[in-house]
Amino acid sequence: MTQAAAMMSPLPSEQASAAVPLPLKVRGMTVSYGATPAVFSADMDIAPGAMTAIIGPNGAGKSTLLKATLGIIPRLSGQVEVFGQPLDRVRARIAYVPQRASVDWDFPTRALDVVEMGLYRQLGLLGRLTRQHRSLARDCLDRVGMADFAGRQIGQLSGGQQQRVFLARALAQGADLYMLDEPFAGVDAATEKAIIDVLKSLKDEGRTILAVHHDLSTVPDYFDNVFIINRSPVAAGPVATAFTETALQSAYGGRLATGLLDQLFPSAGPAPMPQPFPTLDA
Amino acid sequence: MMDLGYNTLLVATGAGLLGIAAGVTGAFLYLRKRSLVSDAISHATLPGVALAFIFMVALGGEGRNLVGLLGGAALSSLAGLAVVQWLTRRTRLGEDAAIGAVLSVFFGFGIVLLTVIQTLGAGRQAGLETFLLGSTAGMLRADAIVIAVGGALTLLACLLLRRPMTMVSFDAEYAATQGLVPARVDMGMMALALAVTTIGLKIVGLILIVALLILPAVAARFWTERAEVVALLAGVMGGLAGASGAVLSALAPDLPTGPIIVLVAAALFTLSLVFAPERGVLAGAIAYMRFRRQVHMRQGLLALAHGHRVHESYSRRLLGRAGLIRADGVVTDQGRRLAAWAARDERRWSYLRSRPEGAALAARYDGLTPIEDLVTPDQLRALDDAIASDGAGPQARGRVPEGRS
């Protein structure tokens, strides 16, 4: 029940995090491709029972941060703690929804089989897939509105439907921390709604959601917290305090459409042109 | 069965088990898109076989011990595999180039060693060249047992690794989040391929073993959309090819075993390619022809409804055969009725597709399916009422009047 207490405040204070370990705590993470750092010296605290968006410009290292956190790609330095423990101890409590591009679409597998892959870890090498497992997988498909497509080969589904199947696979794990890489990229409106509904219901169950997100205009509607990154963290915290025009401009530089800024921050008046800082890579 | 004899039965059992192991292993290689790596592995066995022979002779042995020769084969193919991996990971070479380089260099080196052995001790070369194409002639009982046990063990390992291999093949990133290390699973898969290649040397030979890994897998893929069924069917077909190929080659003198096994596998592949439901060539052609007939029928009926002449000869043949038009092109009563029905269906669809509230149903419009098949009679009546009350609305006005082209 201390978890409920922690959920009250968007970002738990130091003493709360001492009582209940954070779902995710990253310290000093640097990830590089060759000698080019993609993420540099990132600290990240993810609050429990909330939805956090990782945002930042293209090439800012959003997906890299997520993947390195999960150990999909190696990190050069840094520590990751999940629920206060090293990653390998708590794999079962983390579910990952990859970007759709990472999958072999011609693979002989049906929507239901994909969801069942979410159960493979707990089945182990020899465990038998029982009728209970199968009906659990069906329930997960149902929850994302894909029950009618259980027998369809994965490549024959639309992009939005595929994304929903991957969310169902994550649901099958019954995890406490959900990490999603651009779940709304290139999906139809119906899928976007289905996904956000499921994520919100997960949050209501007290689970934690962390998503790489690209559409700034939906951030205030969908998320509680933001983590703004441009190779290194720029700002982090509740949307109300961290999702500011200043933070966005320093992360995105001149790459933000002023129309979007006006729409997000109507009271601020016309957005000033970003100051041309001398930068090394300019 | 009488004249087959005990030895043939033994060989057929060994070849069958080898075939099952090769089929199942090959299915996972194929799903991981690494089939050709096994070609590099198999060609890289040759120098190992030759060196093992030289080594055993040098130690004063006879040099023909199968386990010894296969051990050498495994070691040198492991070296070949390591070079492929190194070239792919550490250099800018693609895997295809790395495979080509390793395959030819190791094989060339092996051939040179075989020639050297031939010149060294003419009487003792022990028929090492049978490892190229495989031979069961003069196979010992112990050899068959080695092969059968090896096949069974490989199969067991496949069974254990089937879920990790499936997960990594489908979505390696997700597999990594589940605690699997894709590189390690790949290594396990390669070890299986190496095992199959090595134990298959005697029967199928190193040049053709890749066929026994690939053909059953691609044949099985035609029949199913499920990875585990692909593996299962590939095992069945591989076993069938192995056992029956071994028996066939024993029936006629001088028929090489490996090529016969591969031909049987190729026959299974061809049958699958042609006759598999849904994915097969024949099923595809039939589905296309049926679709073409439906399109021409529908377009023909709509043309009749609008009073156009039907020009396309195929449409006219179809309409004529169905008794909808006469030979001189005049529409029959039946034709008029069906044409009116098609036109009404088309009107319903176009009404539905012009309304936002019809969007869900309109998404299923394919120009062929009658709307009556998709809605209840009540819904249909409501739709017709809406069209009737809206009949002279904006939709109808912009239309070309019926009967004019």
Side-chain angles (χ1 to χ4, degrees):
Chain A
M1 289 311 100
T2 36
Q3 197 168 0
M7 274 166 54
M8 303 286 236
S9 63
L11 261 191
S13 60
E14 275 304 315
Q15 75 207 66
S17 65
V20 178
L22 287 176
L24 182 62
K25 193 164 143 186
V26 175
R27 286 292 174 271
M29 170 141 63
T30 296
V31 188
S32 75
Y33 297 112
T36 322
V39 170
F40 191 76
S41 184
D43 292 348
M44 180 167 73
D45 285 334
I46 297 304
M51 285 178 63
T52 305
I54 300 180
I55 57 177
N58 284 337
K62 306 184 290 287
S63 295
T64 304
L65 174 67
L66 204 66
K67 286 181 191 170
T69 302
L70 283 162
I72 297 171
I73 51 177
R75 44 181 190 266
L76 198 62
S77 72
Q79 283 187 315
V80 173
E81 257 182 31
V82 181
F83 297 107
Q85 296 190 56
L87 186 64
D88 279 323
R89 291 264 195 81
V90 279
R91 292 260 181 212
R93 296 181 69 184
I94 313 170
Y96 172 63
V97 179
Q99 234 169 352
R100 286 193 299 117
S102 77
V103 172
D104 171 12
W105 294 116
D106 203 30
F107 199 84
T109 189
R110 307 166 308 169
L112 187 66
D113 303 323
V114 174
V115 180
E116 282 169 3
M117 285 185 206
L119 301 166
Y120 280 6
R121 184 183 159 76
Q122 73 189 61
L123 283 173
L125 289 183
L126 287 171
R128 252 173 52 81
L129 197 74
T130 63
R131 193 167 301 166
Q132 278 87 344
H133 290 121
R134 190 140 292 179
S135 85
L136 170 65
R138 274 188 196 282
D139 289 347
C140 294
L141 271 183
D142 194 33
R143 202 166 162 188
V144 297
M146 288 292 294
D148 293 342
F149 298 88
R152 202 71 84 76
Q153 194 264 337
I154 190 71
Q156 290 166 2
L157 298 172
S158 76
Q161 292 171 330
Q162 289 165 348
Q163 190 69 282
R164 283 195 255 173
V165 172
F166 290 131
L167 181 58
R169 176 177 65 179
L171 291 177
Q173 284 178 246
D176 296 313
L177 170 60
Y178 289 80
M179 296 171 77
L180 305 89
D181 196 351
E182 301 248 14
F184 305 114
V187 304
D188 53 289
T191 295
E192 179 150 345
K193 177 155 187 347
I195 292 178
I196 199 69
D197 285 350
V198 169
L199 294 183
K200 286 192 164 155
S201 78
L202 287 171
K203 184 181 93 167
D204 292 342
E205 293 164 14
R207 302 174 205 262
T208 307
I209 288 117
L210 176 62
V212 172
H213 192 59
H214 67 289
D215 180 7
L216 293 181
S217 66
T218 51
V219 167
D221 285 343
Y222 290 174
F223 293 94
D224 307 303
N225 304 322
V226 287
F227 184 86
I228 307 177
I229 183 171
N230 187 9
R231 299 227 190 123
S232 332
V234 173
V239 169
T241 56
F243 189 65
T244 60
E245 192 173 355
T246 324
L248 287 182
Q249 281 205 337
S250 65
Y252 286 78
R255 280 172 282 187
L256 269 191
T258 44
L260 180 65
L261 282 175
D262 290 345
Q263 183 196 328
L264 284 169
F265 309 103
S267 57
M273 286 299 289
Q275 291 297 312
F277 279 116
T279 54
L280 285 176
D281 58 356
Chain B
M1 236 32 207
M2 286 287 282
D3 46 347
L4 279 184
Y6 177 73
N7 253 340
T8 311
L9 217 58
L10 203 67
V11 170
T13 310
L17 265 168
L18 168 71
I20 296 173
V24 175
T25 305
F28 289 109
L29 286 175
Y30 163 69
L31 293 178
R32 186 74 175 127
K33 303 191 194 302
R34 305 289 294 279
S35 298
L36 274 183
V37 178
S38 58
D39 208 18
I41 294 177
S42 64
H43 282 77
T45 55
L46 191 56
V49 171
L51 286 174
F53 179 81
I54 293 172
F55 187 66
M56 286 191 287
V57 170
L59 284 183
E62 197 198 359
R64 281 195 210 183
N65 182 295
L66 185 62
V67 175
L69 293 175
L70 295 190
L75 284 180
S76 79
S77 67
L78 197 63
L81 179 61
V83 175
V84 170
Q85 303 273 38
W86 186 84
L87 285 175
T88 312
R89 295 235 176 94
R90 302 275 175 229
T91 72
R92 287 167 165 270
L93 285 185
E95 197 172 57
D96 54 343
I99 289 171
V102 167
L103 184 154
S104 46
V105 170
F106 274 71
F107 187 65
F109 181 47
I111 294 289
V112 169
L113 286 177
L114 280 194
T115 322
V116 169
I117 289 173
Q118 246 160 354
T119 54
L120 279 183
R124 303 166 88 191
Q125 51 155 311
L128 286 191
E129 68 284 345
T130 61
F131 281 100
L132 294 179
L133 288 173
S135 160
T136 52
M139 204 163 115
L140 302 174
R141 181 163 171 230
D143 296 348
I145 289 173
V146 167
I147 291 163
V149 169
L153 286 178
T154 311
L155 202 58
L156 198 70
C158 273
L159 201 69
L160 274 177
L161 286 176
R162 70 189 194 281
R163 282 179 192 144
M165 290 193 293
T166 306
M167 257 214 280
V168 168
S169 305
F170 175 58
D171 184 352
E173 285 192 357
Y174 179 76
T177 70
Q178 297 298 290
L180 294 172
V181 181
R184 258 184 242 160
V185 175
D186 281 343
M187 248 194 286
M189 199 185 281
M190 288 303 137
L192 289 174
L194 203 145
V196 166
T197 307
T198 310
I199 59 180
L201 279 186
K202 182 77 187 161
I203 295 181
V204 183
L206 63 93
I207 294 179
L208 289 176
I209 186 72
V210 65
L212 200 54
L213 283 162
I214 295 180
L215 285 175
V218 290
R221 181 66 182 91
F222 279 103
W223 299 90
T224 174
E225 296 286 5
R226 303 185 62 190
E228 49 196 67
V229 184
V230 170
L232 195 77
L233 282 179
V236 170
M237 292 203 235
L240 213 63
S244 61
V247 171
L248 282 177
S249 79
L251 286 179
D254 297 336
L255 273 186
T257 315
I260 297 291
I261 290 178
V262 169
L263 285 182
V264 175
L268 290 172
F269 167 71
T270 311
L271 286 176
S272 305
L273 172 83
V274 177
F275 294 109
E278 302 208 8
R279 291 180 70 93
V281 172
L282 201 61
I286 289 173
Y288 174 75
M289 269 165 9
R290 181 185 298 148
F291 178 70
R292 179 162 163 261
R293 193 174 65 231
Q294 284 177 330
V295 168
H296 277 265
M297 191 62 150
R298 179 78 173 191
Q299 293 303 319
L301 283 176
L302 288 177
L304 293 185
H306 296 155
H308 299 171
R309 265 188 68 78
V310 179
H311 290 291
E312 283 207 65
S313 62
Y314 181 57
S315 306
R316 282 174 54 175
R317 269 208 314 282
L318 275 180
L319 293 170
R321 244 185 281 155
L324 305 180
I325 55 173
R326 299 202 316 240
D328 55 5
V330 175
V331 189
T332 65
D333 285 346
Q334 168 84 357
R336 231 180 305 267
R337 249 196 323 277
L338 269 181
W341 170 81
R344 191 177 61 213
D345 189 52
E346 201 61 27
R347 268 199 304 281
R348 286 165 171 167
W349 272 118
S350 78
Y351 180 81
L352 207 62
R353 296 175 68 210
S354 68
R355 307 276 136 164
E357 63 270 26
L361 201 54
R364 300 180 63 180
Y365 175 74
D366 57 7
L368 294 175
T369 312
I371 198 160
E372 303 161 10
D373 292 0
L374 301 177
V375 300
T376 65
D378 286 347
Q379 287 172 315
L380 196 64
R381 219 167 297 130
L383 177 64
D384 284 340
D385 289 347
I387 296 174
S389 66
D390 221 35
Q395 261 72 41
R397 246 178 267 142
R399 284 277 191 80
V400 181
E402 291 194 1
R404 289 183 49 196
S405 50

